[in-house]
Amino acid sequence: MAVPRQYRRLFTPERIYMGALGLSGCAALVSVGLPPTERGELAASIASATLGAAIGGLSVDTFLLSRPGGWVFGRGPRWILSLLVGCLILSAAAATLLTALAGIGSYWVGMGAACALTVFNAFASLALRIKKFLFVYSMRALTGATLVGAYALLYATDRRDGGTWSVAWFGVQSFAGIVLSAVVLSWAWRARTARTSGVTAAEFRTDLTAMGKLHIGVCAQMLTYRLDQILVARFAGSGPLGVYALAVAALEFAQAGAVVRAQRILVDRDREDTTPDRTGLILRAALPVAVAAVAGLGVLGFIRPEYNDAWLYGLLLIPGAMAVAAGKTWSALLLKLRGEQATTVVALTAMCVAVALYFVLIPAAGAYGAAVASSGAYLVYAVRTRLSLRQAPAPLLTQRVM
């Protein structure tokens, strides 16, 4: 039976994605039941796994999402699975090195979760490539709901150590990766097409070249976004990291609209019609969310005094959150109009600024320095992306950014 139109409007991809973020936020809120030092251990494992998947995953998720229509079936399952296996090995290795750098967190949780995230992201990109937005975002929402339940159970049973909660987080990510990959593989099996020849050497080189160019930029972006937490763990310790990571998670709510917009732009990359720039609308929607997140952190600090600094970190992160909201959409447009090299140059510029600021401000000012450095680096990223986008010869650029 068809779903009535008024109900379909209630379950748009944007709203489902916001719901998924909301559930992730609930998980973060439940995690404040941990003391800051224990929450710092949990945050360190998450940061090492997330950044490890970004560095070792070779940006296979963005690469698959940006391929032209029919590319996946044209290459065949053997080539796609070979890429994925290589990414899993590198992700585990990268997570191990990052855990060692942080000096906090579980090595095996970091390695396993990095692999789980790589699998989830890769198969989510394949689903998004055929415009299964509702399915992918619903899976993210289910993951968030499961994580909330797992954390709540641990809290209720008085198991309040960061190591145990890290294992629970790892288990949920693994479950999500297995379910998503199984569903996408079943779709691929039903829609399989015959191919008369394997991947040629020229196709192989083309794929690796495009992936390499894209990965340098995406890796640079992720270092800009997550290296601060690794260095806060190293230089300030698990307690400040636990509070700072909470503020970062709260401000990520403001980026939901930009993430969905960027993914839609990449999915339609092979279309030649003009793509309107709606950055102004995204920013006007993001700012109230960011302010509300900081206010919520203030209330939390009143209830749990050990988290009292979280709202100050959030306040310092607001300019960066707005810059990321604009930069994500501009970056996707830049990739569509000028290719991987243009986005890579921008990302490397922002990363150089970020690393310099992180290594100067974090040892000197701890998590406060991290918040200031992050906002500064994100602003550089957004401005540099916009300037590069203006050089693209497309009708898009004649439209005013509000």
Side-chain angles (χ1 to χ4, degrees):
M1 185 175 65
V3 179
R5 181 176 299 179
Q6 62 268 29
Y7 293 110
R8 291 201 302 267
R9 290 176 179 174
L10 293 176
F11 297 100
T12 63
E14 290 80 4
R15 288 177 177 173
I16 296 295
Y17 189 85
M18 284 295 294
L21 272 183
L23 289 166
S24 298
C26 288
L29 185 61
V30 174
S31 70
V32 301
L34 292 171
T37 53
E38 297 296 332
R39 192 182 189 282
E41 182 178 352
L42 170 64
S45 294
I46 293 175
S48 295
T50 304
L51 191 51
I55 294 174
L58 300 179
S59 307
V60 67
D61 51 343
T62 306
F63 175 73
L64 293 174
L65 188 61
S66 64
R67 292 304 87 195
W71 181 90
V72 173
F73 289 114
R75 289 298 189 265
R78 182 175 299 178
W79 176 220
I80 303 301
L81 291 177
S82 297
L83 286 178
L84 184 58
V85 169
C87 291
L88 291 176
I89 295 172
L90 293 174
S91 295
T96 301
L97 294 175
L98 288 165
T99 302
L101 176 59
I104 303 171
S106 168
Y107 282 96
W108 76 270
V109 167
M111 293 171 59
C115 291
L117 291 171
T118 298
V119 169
F120 184 96
N121 292 336
F123 283 96
S125 294
L126 292 175
L128 290 172
R129 195 65 190 84
I130 56 176
K131 300 188 178 182
K132 298 289 187 179
F133 290 95
L134 280 176
F135 170 71
V136 173
Y137 298 154
S138 296
M139 278 299 305
R140 292 190 181 277
L142 176 62
T143 302
T146 306
L147 190 59
V148 170
Y151 284 174
L153 180 62
L154 290 173
Y155 184 83
T157 55
D158 203 30
R159 303 186 68 179
R160 303 182 188 179
D161 63 280
T164 302
W165 288 49
S166 297
V167 172
W169 178 78
F170 165 50
V172 171
Q173 303 307 319
S174 299
F175 170 76
I178 291 170
V179 171
L180 180 64
S181 60
V183 173
V184 175
L185 286 173
S186 70
W187 289 341
W189 178 258
R190 290 196 299 268
R192 65 190 183 280
T193 58
R195 180 178 171 84
T196 58
S197 62
V199 181
T200 66
E203 289 174 327
F204 182 84
R205 288 193 298 270
T206 299
D207 289 347
L208 291 184
T209 300
M211 180 180 286
K213 289 180 179 179
L214 182 65
H215 179 58
I216 292 172
V218 173
C219 183
Q221 285 185 15
M222 286 304 298
L223 284 170
T224 302
Y225 293 152
R226 288 288 181 263
L227 183 60
D228 55 338
Q229 295 190 35
I230 300 294
L231 295 180
V232 169
R234 165 61 64 180
F235 292 109
S238 60
L241 173 62
V243 181
Y244 176 72
L246 177 64
V248 172
L251 268 295
E252 287 179 350
F253 280 101
Q255 302 166 23
V259 171
V260 175
R261 177 64 178 155
Q263 289 176 342
R264 285 190 178 278
I265 291 170
L266 291 177
V267 165
D268 292 332
R269 187 182 180 186
D270 53 341
R271 294 175 58 187
E272 296 183 357
D273 59 333
T274 59
T275 304
D277 189 338
R278 298 173 179 170
T279 310
L281 295 175
I282 291 173
L283 290 177
R284 286 197 293 272
L287 183 57
V289 177
V291 173
V294 173
L297 291 172
V299 173
L300 176 63
F302 180 78
I303 298 172
R304 295 289 303 273
E306 59 266 44
Y307 287 94
N308 189 49
D309 289 342
W311 77 273
L312 291 173
Y313 298 149
L315 190 63
L316 293 173
L317 287 168
I318 283 182
M322 296 299 98
V324 171
K328 281 184 180 294
T329 54
W330 288 338
S331 182
L333 289 170
L334 184 62
L335 178 62
K336 178 178 180 178
L337 295 172
R338 299 185 59 197
E340 290 86 358
Q341 185 172 349
T343 57
T344 297
V345 170
V346 172
L348 287 174
T349 301
M351 184 195 71
C352 291
V353 173
V355 170
L357 290 175
Y358 291 159
F359 275 97
V360 170
L361 295 180
I362 293 176
Y368 287 103
V372 172
S374 296
S375 284
Y378 300 161
L379 288 169
V380 169
Y381 163 69
V383 171
R384 186 69 179 84
T385 303
R386 183 57 187 166
L387 291 176
S388 296
L389 190 58
R390 288 184 180 276
Q391 300 173 12
L396 159 73
L397 302 180
T398 63
Q399 299 191 34
R400 182 171 62 91
V401 178
M402 301 178 65

